[in-house]
Amino acid sequence: MKALSRRGFATLAIVLGIVMFVAVNIASNIWFGAMRLDLTEGGLYTVSDGTRTTLEELNEPITLRFFYSRDAAAGYPTVNAYAARIRDLLQEYVALANGNILLEEIDPRTFTPEEDQAVAFGLTGAPTQAGENVYFGLAGTNSTDGQEIIPFFNTDRDDYLEYDLTSLIHKLSRTTLPRLGVLSALPLESGLGGMMAMLQGNAQPFAIYQQLTETFDVEMLSQDSEIIPDDISTLLVAHPAGFSERTRYAIDQFVLRGGNAIILVDPLSEAAGATNAGMGGETIDDSSDLAELFAAWGVTYDPSKVVADAELAQRVRVGDPMNPQTQEYIVWLRTTPPNFDADDVVTSALQQVNLATAGALGAAEGATTTFTPLITSSTTSALLDSPIVRATQDPVELMQRFSPIGGPFTLAARISGPSATAFPNGAPAALVVEGEPPAEPLPEQITQADSINVLIIADTDLLDDRFWVTAQNVLGQRILIPSADNGALIVNAVENMMGSNALISLRTRAPVQRTFTVVDDLRRQAEAEYQDEEQQLLQSIANAEARLQELQGQTPEGEARPDIVTPQQQAAIENFRSELLESRAALRGVQANLRGNVESLGAFLTFINMALVPLLVALVAIVIGLIRRRRRLLARGI
């Protein structure tokens, strides 16, 4: 047999390498296709314990029909990649559900029974340039004709994919929805536009209200309710402004008889202010309190004080819309994991909660209850008078009034333990209205409870869409894209009060934008250093412009303008123009200095990422090469 030449041997080796490569890929797809290595910090691509619990507790089969138009979507790589991810995750659900998840993938081509089926379920098709519809949704059914759908998978909710899927299955696994009672002075059902928006047909509910109605059987209670229905186990009270004494008594009795309550009060509710702007007639008080109930529960709260925090302050745009400046607004807070109670299931997995003009809670001296802080401010915080904040709303002026003493402050807390009624003298007398029948007698008063379960948050603006969510209209569907965990906090609290924690770990898994702590500290330090100088220059510019206008003879509209300017006035005009140009140049220099440290840090990090590491790798390679060469020379005796 003739031996292979070196060239033939090389060719054979290449062919065998290609065959081996294909074989390994085929084998890995078959045997290891469902295996993934997740190296993210929060295990973002690993099925959570909440999903596993939900799937393991299924006691009846659930059918999931994944509708995806393969051919029509072939020209959209992003959609194809997202569909592959959904398919992999659904298959993992099937593997974890012990036979209780039946998965069907359906390709609803145009004018086919499969397309009719997708339409019958309520799925929405996205039209393509070719005139076809792309169906990309999920329909789930259970054995009792229950049905839940995801009309169209929006790639903007990619971070919340696992929650959306598990939530759909969780809803199908329940025979009845838990009942949640809601008492609120805010128009949660119609949004900030209030009655005016409802009359114009433009009303949109608060996003958090929409989430609650999708998860629970929500009953909106009248603000003058005198009894909380017995079939409500959990009560959400949001901004109890102007509640009657009989309504406050109803809340007291509900808590004492074992009901769970989530209370949101506010020293300065910007949501109420925004609602008042869109309403006619009676307005909502922007401050709320439950003074006698808090006293009975062992909680202190001053509705005239707002928490200001320089470390947690959100950045806002102020000044001229054409040339806005960004400033730290110390009464709008962005709280993160260091501010949350890591041992409480409601807050342990939260990543970011945005608050605005929030109040401070505390434990009363001699209280019989246990006060557990859930959300706190930083140590760089203080209390400001709410009338000053209401009247000022100027980030610079508020910062000048700010003196960080007394922090941290508690922004949200859980109250538990024995408590007495807030109405020791009995139920308040009913209001007698002439011509109307007398009020029905109330049940016998409960005066003491061995243990209450109340969660209090000293802010209502966290419910406001403006602070945590963006709503998009996709194919006629209102899609919510959260930028913070405000909604998760409220839904977590309700589910925890109702005894279900399965979805809590899922709801807050979505990655949020990580903050650059060092950069934020540098920016804050720079702003503190240059802010006074910047304000002086701005004032100089304003004075120079005013004097310049005066000298140029600018007068109110409709009046005559002088045509003659004396040489002395012209010289003064030129002088103020020069002063104005110099002040503006100095201001640009101050603003450049303010950004200098941050930009220097960015350049340093860019150098490390793009140059330093490759240089170090090259240097190590050179050193290793020199060492090997030295060894070879020594081995040869050279």
Side-chain angles (χ1 to χ4, degrees):
M1 182 178 178
K2 185 178 180 180
L4 284 174
S5 65
R6 178 173 296 183
R7 184 174 181 179
F9 183 82
T11 302
L12 181 60
I14 292 173
V15 172
L16 289 175
I18 294 173
V19 172
M20 182 68 70
F21 176 78
V22 173
V24 168
N25 275 276
I26 293 174
S28 64
N29 285 332
I30 294 174
W31 295 333
F32 308 111
M35 296 183 66
R36 293 188 298 272
L37 179 62
D38 187 355
L39 300 178
T40 57
E41 180 179 354
L44 299 176
Y45 299 98
T46 301
V47 173
S48 73
D49 292 338
T51 292
R52 292 177 183 273
T53 300
T54 301
L55 296 175
E56 290 170 359
E57 292 179 352
L58 291 177
N59 52 23
E60 65 168 342
I62 291 175
T63 301
L64 300 179
R65 296 175 176 87
F66 177 40
F67 289 87
Y68 179 54
S69 305
R70 288 177 176 268
D71 294 340
Y76 301 90
T78 302
V79 175
N80 279 309
Y82 194 31
R85 185 182 169 213
I86 294 170
R87 189 180 298 110
D88 289 344
L89 191 55
L90 289 173
Q91 290 172 351
E92 193 162 355
Y93 278 37
V94 172
L96 293 171
N98 300 319
N100 283 320
I101 294 287
L102 307 177
L103 177 63
E104 301 177 12
E105 183 169 350
I106 300 171
D107 184 2
R109 300 183 180 182
T110 306
F111 304 122
T112 62
E114 288 77 13
E115 183 182 31
D116 295 339
Q117 188 180 12
V119 173
F121 274 118
L123 271 60
T124 307
T128 66
Q129 294 180 347
E132 296 182 288
N133 284 332
V134 173
Y135 291 91
F136 187 28
L138 185 73
T141 56
N142 58 22
S143 58
T144 58
D145 297 328
Q147 177 179 310
E148 296 289 339
I149 65 169
I150 298 176
F152 195 91
F153 284 105
N154 186 359
T155 54
D156 288 337
R157 281 192 64 87
D158 180 30
D159 295 335
Y160 297 87
L161 175 61
E162 185 184 351
Y163 169 73
D164 289 342
L165 295 177
T166 305
S167 177
L168 180 145
I169 293 171
H170 183 67
K171 293 174 185 176
L172 290 171
S173 68
R174 297 181 304 193
T175 55
T176 58
L177 289 176
R179 285 180 63 77
L180 171 68
V182 178
L183 266 172
S184 179
L186 298 174
L188 301 180
E189 294 177 285
S190 60
L192 295 180
M195 186 60 66
M196 190 74 69
M198 293 187 68
L199 293 176
Q200 295 174 352
N202 299 324
Q204 284 288 0
F206 279 47
I208 183 59
Y209 179 78
Q210 180 178 332
Q211 287 191 352
L212 290 172
T213 56
E214 291 172 354
T215 310
F216 310 103
D217 181 8
V218 176
E219 180 177 349
M220 290 296 298
L221 303 176
S222 171
Q223 294 182 43
D224 57 1
S225 297
E226 298 187 352
I227 298 177
I228 308 300
D230 292 334
D231 60 348
I232 290 176
S233 65
T234 299
L235 179 67
L236 174 65
V237 180
H239 197 53
F243 280 16
S244 69
E245 195 175 16
R246 296 269 286 189
T247 301
R248 299 196 300 273
Y249 176 78
I251 298 172
D252 170 83
Q253 292 297 289
F254 172 80
V255 170
L256 291 179
R257 76 167 186 249
N260 306 309
I262 302 166
I263 312 289
L264 283 80
V265 292
D266 204 318
L268 179 55
S269 174
E270 300 193 27
T275 301
N276 292 336
M279 293 175 61
E282 188 175 354
T283 59
I284 304 171
D285 192 341
D286 63 5
S287 177
S288 56
D289 190 8
L290 290 175
E292 66 268 73
L293 274 69
F294 285 176
W297 298 339
V299 177
T300 62
Y301 162 73
D302 188 345
S304 68
K305 299 294 183 181
V306 170
V307 176
D309 194 317
E311 184 176 329
L312 305 182
Q314 297 185 44
R315 297 185 65 80
V316 298
R317 292 178 177 270
V318 296
D320 184 2
M322 301 300 294
N323 185 28
Q325 304 294 321
T326 58
Q327 297 285 347
E328 303 279 359
Y329 195 33
I330 56 176
V331 293
W332 285 9
L333 311 182
R334 181 178 59 82
T335 56
T336 55
N339 309 109
F340 305 141
D341 181 3
D343 297 325
D344 194 293
V345 67
V346 172
T347 53
S348 61
L350 298 176
Q351 298 301 311
Q352 178 178 321
V353 173
N354 295 334
L355 308 172
T357 55
L361 304 170
E365 186 176 351
T368 59
T369 55
T370 300
F371 181 92
T372 305
L374 298 183
I375 304 177
T376 57
S377 68
S378 76
T379 54
T380 315
S381 55
L383 296 178
L384 299 178
D385 293 332
S386 59
I388 292 177
V389 177
R390 182 186 293 108
T392 305
Q393 298 183 353
D394 178 26
V396 176
E397 183 176 341
L398 290 177
M399 182 64 79
Q400 291 171 347
R401 294 175 178 270
F402 176 72
S403 179
I405 55 174
F409 298 98
T410 298
L411 307 172
R414 188 188 290 273
I415 315 301
S416 58
S419 177
T421 180
F423 298 88
N425 297 324
L431 180 65
V432 178
V433 180
E434 186 177 353
E436 293 187 6
E440 295 183 5
L442 299 176
E444 183 179 353
Q445 183 184 23
I446 303 172
T447 60
Q448 189 76 30
D450 294 334
S451 182
I452 63 173
N453 189 15
V454 178
L455 194 153
I456 304 175
I457 303 174
D459 182 52
T460 61
D461 294 314
L462 65 87
L463 303 176
D464 190 339
D465 296 2
R466 297 174 297 170
F467 292 102
W468 72 278
V469 71
T470 300
Q472 297 181 3
N473 191 300
V474 179
L475 301 176
Q477 299 291 327
R478 189 173 183 236
I479 305 297
L480 304 177
I481 312 298
S483 58
D485 291 332
N486 295 28
L489 169 64
I490 299 300
V491 181
N492 284 357
V494 174
E495 286 190 341
N496 177 247
M497 290 292 192
M498 290 182 172
S500 173
N501 296 325
L503 295 180
I504 289 179
S505 61
L506 270 168
R507 193 175 293 110
T508 52
R509 292 189 79 204
V512 297
Q513 183 177 3
R514 293 190 177 186
T515 58
F516 294 93
T517 306
V518 175
V519 173
D520 286 344
D521 290 342
L522 283 173
R523 183 188 294 114
R524 196 174 295 113
Q525 181 181 353
E527 286 182 349
E529 183 177 348
Y530 295 110
Q531 192 173 67
D532 290 341
E533 185 178 355
E534 183 180 23
Q535 290 305 308
Q536 292 175 4
L537 287 170
L538 287 172
Q539 186 62 46
S540 298
I541 291 173
N543 293 339
E545 287 178 338
R547 185 61 179 152
L548 187 60
Q549 289 178 359
E550 181 181 346
L551 290 172
Q552 287 176 328
Q554 291 186 356
T555 56
E557 186 176 353
E559 296 183 13
R561 176 176 176 174
D563 296 324
I564 300 175
V565 179
T566 66
Q568 293 82 1
Q569 288 176 323
Q570 185 63 40
I573 289 173
E574 295 300 329
N575 181 48
F576 277 109
R577 280 178 177 169
S578 299
E579 181 181 335
L580 184 61
L581 292 175
E582 291 174 2
S583 297
R584 286 178 173 170
L587 179 61
R588 286 194 296 271
V590 168
Q591 292 172 343
N593 288 334
L594 195 152
R595 296 190 300 268
N597 289 339
V598 174
E599 292 176 351
S600 298
L601 177 61
F604 177 66
L605 293 176
T606 301
F607 169 74
I608 290 177
N609 286 326
M610 300 186 64
L612 183 58
V613 172
L615 286 175
L616 289 176
V617 171
L619 181 61
V620 170
I622 291 172
V623 171
I624 293 174
L626 292 175
I627 292 173
R628 287 182 175 178
R629 184 173 182 276
R630 177 65 176 166
R631 287 177 178 174
R632 286 198 299 269
L633 293 175
L634 290 174
R636 296 175 184 175
I638 300 176

